[in-house]
Amino acid sequence: FASLTLSRLLYNCHTWSPVSTKVVQEWQNHIRKPLGLLARGHTLGVSPLELDVPTLCGLLHVLPPEDLLHMARLRYLSRLLRTCPAILWQMLLDNETEQHSWLQACATSLGWFRRFYSDHFAVPSTNDVRQWIPLISSDAHWKGRIKAAGQACKRFRQAEAEAVAWQKR
């Protein structure tokens, strides 16, 4: 139930621009109370009110909205590379230096991918979207790679959440 609700909340949010980290955190915190109600039996005796959204999501074995946003943005980037008109690319590149531009957000998502995807796939050592374009546009398994990074992130969030709950208990 929780993952279905989070998926509905994230429909097309990867195209939001400009959106700051602060806005994403505020938006994510709006689901804290419902998540707390869902996680009551999973908090290892700790009050859900003492836990943040990523911790609650980890205890529920679902990804927090911020991680789902990274995944959605990276899936959209692949579609964008295949079907984007030149004028849209030019607009994105012209606004790259603006605060909270979509390409900056995309670079953050690429950093998230580099953090959670395994080392057996040669990824660029930078988060610059331009260096990732040839790799993403020619990779037939890009969606699967994003899914694998999401699974690794979910395991990481779960372990982190259990550690936080144990410490608070």
Side-chain angles (χ1 to χ4, degrees):
F1 173 74
S3 63
L4 178 63
T5 303
L6 292 175
S7 296
R8 287 185 180 163
L9 287 172
L10 287 169
Y11 183 74
N12 282 340
C13 67
H14 50 81
T15 59
W16 295 347
S17 186
V19 61
S20 67
T21 306
K22 181 182 176 189
V23 171
V24 171
Q25 293 300 321
E26 288 175 7
W27 171 68
Q28 183 171 264
N29 282 332
H30 284 296
I31 64 166
R32 186 171 178 227
K33 188 173 182 178
L35 282 175
L37 293 172
L38 288 171
R40 272 190 297 188
H42 304 277
T43 59
L44 307 174
V46 178
S47 170
L49 299 174
E50 296 180 31
L51 304 172
D52 61 357
V53 172
T55 303
L56 290 169
C57 287
L59 292 171
L60 289 169
H61 305 264
V62 296
L63 285 170
E66 190 171 13
D67 293 329
L68 292 170
L69 179 60
H70 289 303
M71 291 176 69
R73 193 178 288 128
L74 292 173
R75 282 191 299 268
Y76 183 73
L77 178 61
S78 175
R79 284 194 314 266
L80 189 69
L81 291 173
R82 282 184 274 125
T83 61
C84 176
I87 190 73
L88 179 57
W89 264 117
Q90 189 59 47
M91 184 184 76
L92 288 171
L93 292 173
D94 288 345
N95 291 321
E96 183 178 17
T97 58
E98 296 294 320
Q99 187 178 17
H100 311 301
S101 72
W102 191 82
L103 286 179
Q104 287 176 0
C106 203
T108 304
S109 295
L110 290 169
W112 173 90
F113 180 82
R114 288 178 53 227
R115 179 179 179 196
F116 291 109
Y117 194 72
S118 66
D119 295 337
H120 73 275
F121 179 66
V123 297
S125 60
T126 180
N127 297 339
D128 184 14
V129 176
R130 288 180 190 88
Q131 291 188 10
W132 284 78
I133 289 174
L135 177 76
I136 295 170
S137 59
S138 65
D139 190 0
H141 304 290
W142 181 245
K143 282 185 181 179
R145 295 186 199 287
I146 295 168
K147 187 175 181 181
Q151 292 299 320
C153 180
K154 187 189 301 183
R155 288 188 300 272
F156 173 80
R157 299 286 184 220
Q158 179 183 351
E160 192 176 58
E162 289 171 357
V164 166
W166 182 81
Q167 287 174 350
K168 287 192 181 276
R169 187 177 54 170

